[in-house]
């Protein structure tokens, strides 16, 4: 098991994860309060990777980038969510996150190195366009965003959502990673792929 820490922040109790890599600490997602937590714990993230663009996962992203001058990576479909201040308004959400521009884009693909740690990256839309899951084969650890939760799956009724697409993605891309893989979800406690494959009411056949 790799070395990781969890911070829970914002009104939706969103998880941020800090994973130790060879060349620094990778922060996954930036819910409200993440910057304060990093400062309190005296942690300097070397990189911020965004699983998907929902406001509760990116609220502190701009502040963190400014404070630590760390690079920000996400999928191309995530860019409008995080860089366009007006983006959420077109769907009737009166939210104005501070915009942040990614420094690099991440596509689906195996063996991608971030700060010296290798991840197989899967694109699993259906909850949110551009949703990425980061799998560390070495640590048997999946940072999954809001795709798969302990006993549940991501909502499919938000803009760009499609619950059938989400379920197909989980079956095709996450289940094959192995039953003993630990899933670090965007909300709630960690779980295992095998537990969800066998008992998740949305996924059992
Ligand atoms: Zn979400
Ligand atoms: Zn969320």
């Amino acid at each position: 098991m790799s070395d990781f820490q969890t911070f829970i922040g914002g009104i939706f109790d969103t998880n941020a994860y800090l994973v130790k890599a060879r060349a620094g600490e990778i922060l996954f997602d930036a819910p409200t309060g993440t910057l304060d937590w990093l400062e309190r714990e005296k942690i300097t993230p070397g990189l911020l990777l965004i699983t998907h663009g929902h406001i509760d996962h990116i609220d502190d992203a701009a502040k963190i980038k400014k404070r630590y001058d760390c690079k920000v990576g996400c999928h191309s479909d995530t860019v409008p969510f995080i860089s366009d201040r007006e983006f959420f308004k077109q769907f009737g959400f009166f939210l104005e996150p501070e915009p942040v521009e990614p420094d690099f884009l991440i596509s689906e693909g195996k063996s991608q190195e971030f700060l010296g740690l290798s991840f197989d990256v899967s694109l699993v839309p259906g909850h949110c366009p551009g949703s990425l899951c980061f799998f560390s084969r070495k640590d048997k650890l999946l940072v999954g965003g809001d795709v798969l939760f302990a006993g549940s799956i991501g909502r499919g009724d938000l803009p760009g959502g499609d619950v059938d697409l989400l379920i197909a993605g989980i079956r095709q891309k996450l289940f094959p990673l192995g039953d003993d893989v630990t899933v670090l979800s965007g909300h709630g406690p960690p779980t295992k792929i095998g537990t969800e494959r066998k008992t998740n009411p949305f996924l059992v056949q």
Side-chain angles (χ1 to χ4, degrees), residues 56-71:
D56 57 313
H57 294 257
I58 61 150
D59 199 29
D60 268 15
K63 282 194 269 185
I64 289 168
K65 181 174 175 176
K66 258 185 224 153
R67 169 72 175 76
Y68 298 105
D69 198 25
C70 65
K71 300 267 187 279

Side-chain angles (χ1 to χ4, degrees), residues 72-79 102-107 112 114 132:
V72 175
C74 66
H75 189 269
S76 56
D77 290 347
T78 302
V79 178
D103 297 282
F104 61 96
L105 298 177
I106 306 167
S107 303
Q112 304 190 45
F114 300 105
L132 295 176

Side-chain angles (χ1 to χ4, degrees), residues 14 19-20 45 49-50 73 126 140 162-163 167-168 183 187 197:
T14 303
V19 175
K20 212 183 227 353
L49 300 181
I50 294 172
K140 291 188 182 298
D162 177 338
V163 77
I167 289 173
V183 183
H187 304 267
R197 192 175 60 73

Side-chain angles (χ1 to χ4, degrees), residues 52-57 127-128 131 145-146 149 158 187:
H52 66 297
H54 284 155
I55 178 103
D56 57 313
H57 294 257
H127 166 68
C128 181
S131 244
D146 286 359
F149 302 121
L158 296 169
H187 304 267

Side-chain angles (χ1 to χ4, degrees), residues 61-120:
K63 282 194 269 185
I64 289 168
K65 181 174 175 176
K66 258 185 224 153
R67 169 72 175 76
Y68 298 105
D69 198 25
C70 65
K71 300 267 187 279
V72 175
C74 66
H75 189 269
S76 56
D77 290 347
T78 302
V79 178
F81 284 83
I82 65 170
S83 63
D84 176 1
R85 194 181 282 273
E86 303 289 313
F87 185 79
F88 288 95
K89 288 194 180 154
Q90 61 183 310
F91 305 112
F93 297 106
F94 289 93
L95 303 164
E96 277 199 7
E98 190 182 342
V100 61
E101 291 291 336
D103 297 282
F104 61 96
L105 298 177
I106 306 167
S107 303
E108 183 168 61
K110 288 191 190 296
S111 304
Q112 304 190 45
E113 294 245 328
F114 300 105
L115 299 183
L117 188 57
S118 177
F119 289 90
D120 294 347

